[in-house]
Amino acid sequence: MTTEQLIGQEGPPAINELTLTPVDGGTLLTLVITYPDATVRESVLATGMADGMETSYARLESVM
């Protein structure tokens, strides 16, 4: 478990829970990010972070 906080963000940080699970042919990565409230969550989503993460994970999967 890790924490993260955007620069300039006030209040408690987000909590990240990363789980790696063996599956046939590889490993399943599950990342659950819990934000302190819906306002922070919406602010983070508005940055395009979700699209960037999806692109990064797809790129990683393509080379594995």
Side-chain angles (χ1 to χ4, degrees):
M1 199 175 322
T2 62
T3 61
E4 70 178 70
Q5 192 162 21
L6 296 175
I7 295 171
Q9 176 187 334
E10 299 296 322
I15 307 296
N16 300 322
E17 297 178 64
L18 181 102
T19 304
L20 301 172
T21 306
V23 296
D24 288 340
T27 303
L28 174 65
L29 182 152
T30 304
L31 175 63
V32 176
I33 304 172
T34 304
Y35 293 100
D37 58 53
T39 301
V40 173
R41 181 193 66 220
E42 294 305 315
S43 294
V44 171
L45 288 173
T47 68
M49 179 189 103
D51 293 334
M53 288 177 69
E54 179 58 34
T55 299
S56 295
Y57 287 132
R59 185 173 171 196
L60 178 62
E61 186 174 15
S62 73
V63 296
M64 301 310 275

